[in-house]
Amino acid sequence: MTVDRDQVLRTAAALLTRKATATMDEVARAAGIGRATLHRHFAGREALVRALEELGIRELEAALDAARLDADGAPDALRRLVTEVEPVAGLLAFLVTENQLFETEQMHEGWARIDARVSALFRRGQEQGEFRIDLTPAWLTEALYGLIGSGAWAVQDGRVAAKDFQYMIVELLLGGARRSVEK
Amino acid sequence: MTVDRDQVLRTAAALLTRKATATMDEVARAAGIGRATLHRHFAGREALVRALEELGIRELEAALDAARLDADGAPDALRRLVTEVEPVAGLLAFLVTENQLFETEQMHEGWARIDARVSALFRRGQEQGEFRIDLTPAWLTEALYGLIGSGAWAVQDGRVAAKDFQYMIVELLLGGARRSVEK
DNA sequence: CCCCGATGAGACATTCGTGTCTCATCGGGG
DNA sequence: CCCCGATGAGACACGAATGTCTCATCGGGG
């Protein structure tokens, strides 16, 4: 009888990922509940988006944990990261867009935590001589986000196969487009 | 006396790049004209966005021309492309977001033309043995867009220096993050 | 079996952006 | 110097989405 708040959130995430401008009414219908009930659980669209943000951050941090970023070489850790992040990629893309849309009225601290962990991975790779040092960890982090977003959209629009998601992103990010003799 | 339509468009582009949800009134004020006048030149927000889209496509195609994608090796052509695209990157990022926001009520043919030219560059690189062939031209094109977008946002937010824009994007796209012995 | 809390449907007021219109004003060309 | 077109400011109506509220209904736990 009682609405499953988490289920509603995931449905909303799936919908908003496809259509970022979806109405509260559309979100409610998608979740199979009434608009009034949706409002009882989330006091307005902003609250809903914030809840989604927290969900995204939670899942992303879970993905970071699962990827064991400190283990093995940085390249392998990066592979695991992208693999783990893949299911969250759509939500992530939505949240990033949402954030840069409504000029950050104050960024959630969770993003900073996540940025720090990802940056640390790239920094570790540089220190261990696996990553080049002329590209800053900050840029590599941004680039990773960008590629994940592009990958998510491309998969969603059917321009690339979902099964290639991880491979394409990691291969491009690690090795680049240039054909290398050492490969 | 008469409003400079092109100047209004460029001002609107600059504003909407920073704040994609800016009001018609905000756009008018930013351009230093009245809202009524703005409406006289662009019959509504949609018309304005379409005009911006045409401007973006026009400038992007001009950048493609200036980059002489057919000359030299594909890597060098790609470098030139990113250099030429840099001034349009912000507008480009806005338009991409706008497009994926309001589910394509029909994509402007210009994008297809541009996609074709960029893809062709990557394909040429593959055929001439300069680019690896396990990453499809379609994905490389998407990735380029994603990196340009990320770069534009990162520069706008001051997370990376504007002067590094071209270098960061091209280096990452061509060589990847991995430290290569041949470099 | 009944009751109470949760829900769904819908009415309603409010807010916000849009699009149209009017009118006074400005300014350059004739 | 005057006139006419373009402009700016603002009023106004409209539509869309939001947020609140009421009321009937449903269903599980006591």
Side-chain angles (χ1 to χ4, degrees):
Chain A
M1 183 182 191
T2 298
V3 163
D4 181 346
R5 177 187 163 104
D6 208 68
Q7 185 52 42
V8 172
L9 267 185
R10 288 174 196 285
T11 306
L15 173 60
L16 289 173
T17 291
R18 291 194 306 273
K19 186 184 176 187
T21 57
T23 293
M24 288 296 273
D25 190 70
E26 292 176 283
V27 172
R29 286 178 194 283
I33 64 178
R35 197 164 65 94
T37 304
L38 180 60
H39 268 89
R40 283 186 194 103
H41 287 269
F42 305 97
R45 185 191 184 78
E46 190 185 330
L48 176 62
V49 172
R50 279 199 199 160
L52 279 173
E53 186 174 41
E54 305 227 353
L55 174 65
I57 289 175
R58 214 159 53 230
E59 303 221 318
L60 199 44
E61 296 198 301
L64 292 180
D65 293 338
R68 307 191 320 281
L69 296 188
D70 294 331
D72 305 336
D76 285 331
L78 183 59
R79 284 180 213 281
R80 289 195 300 271
L81 172 57
V82 176
T83 300
E84 296 292 337
V85 162
E86 199 255 317
V88 206
L91 176 57
L92 189 57
F94 162 71
L95 292 174
V96 168
T97 301
E98 194 76 4
N99 267 339
Q100 66 192 18
L101 221 54
F102 307 99
E103 49 204 273
T104 329
E105 60 271 340
Q106 192 164 19
M107 203 160 71
H108 192 295
E109 53 170 0
W111 299 119
R113 285 201 303 271
I114 291 168
D115 277 6
R117 294 178 68 178
V118 176
S119 288
L121 168 62
F122 287 118
R123 196 169 306 107
R124 175 167 79 89
Q126 290 180 331
E127 288 166 356
Q128 297 181 344
E130 296 163 315
F131 291 160
R132 49 200 288 195
I133 59 173
D134 59 333
L135 299 176
T136 66
W139 165 240
L140 291 173
T141 302
E142 289 284 336
L144 172 62
Y145 294 162
L147 289 179
I148 288 175
S150 289
W153 288 115
V155 168
Q156 196 165 85
D157 293 3
R159 287 192 296 274
V160 302
K163 68 174 176 54
D164 298 331
F165 181 87
Q166 188 258 10
Y167 180 83
M168 294 185 315
I169 292 178
V170 170
E171 281 305 311
L172 182 60
L173 190 53
L174 282 180
R178 190 189 279 122
R179 186 173 169 190
S180 163
V181 289
E182 62 168 340
K183 251 195 93 64
Chain B
M1 182 178 190
T2 297
V3 163
D4 181 345
R5 177 188 163 103
D6 207 67
Q7 185 51 43
V8 172
L9 267 185
R10 287 174 198 285
T11 306
L15 173 60
L16 290 172
T17 291
R18 292 193 307 272
K19 187 184 176 187
T21 56
T23 294
M24 288 295 273
D25 190 69
E26 293 177 283
V27 172
R29 285 178 195 283
I33 64 177
R35 196 165 66 93
T37 305
L38 181 60
H39 268 90
R40 283 186 194 104
H41 287 269
F42 306 97
R45 187 192 182 78
E46 190 185 330
L48 176 63
V49 173
R50 280 199 198 158
L52 280 173
E53 187 174 40
E54 305 226 352
L55 174 65
I57 288 175
R58 215 160 52 230
E59 304 221 317
L60 200 44
E61 296 199 301
L64 292 180
D65 291 340
R68 306 191 322 281
L69 296 188
D70 294 330
D72 304 336
D76 285 331
L78 182 60
R79 284 182 213 280
R80 290 196 300 271
L81 171 57
V82 175
T83 300
E84 296 293 337
V85 162
E86 199 254 318
V88 206
L91 175 56
L92 189 57
F94 162 71
L95 291 174
V96 169
T97 301
E98 192 76 7
N99 266 338
Q100 66 193 18
L101 220 54
F102 307 99
E103 49 204 277
T104 329
E105 60 270 341
Q106 190 165 20
M107 201 161 73
H108 192 296
E109 52 170 0
W111 297 120
R113 284 201 304 271
I114 292 167
D115 277 5
R117 293 178 68 179
V118 176
S119 289
L121 168 63
F122 286 118
R123 197 169 305 109
R124 175 167 79 89
Q126 290 180 332
E127 288 166 356
Q128 298 180 345
E130 295 163 315
F131 291 161
R132 50 200 287 197
I133 59 173
D134 59 335
L135 300 175
T136 66
W139 165 239
L140 291 173
T141 302
E142 290 283 335
L144 172 61
Y145 294 162
L147 289 178
I148 289 175
S150 289
W153 287 115
V155 167
Q156 195 164 86
D157 293 2
R159 287 192 295 275
V160 302
K163 67 174 175 56
D164 297 332
F165 181 87
Q166 189 256 10
Y167 180 83
M168 294 185 315
I169 291 178
V170 170
E171 281 306 310
L172 183 59
L173 190 52
L174 281 180
R178 191 189 278 122
R179 186 173 169 192
S180 162
V181 289
E182 62 167 342
K183 249 195 99 57

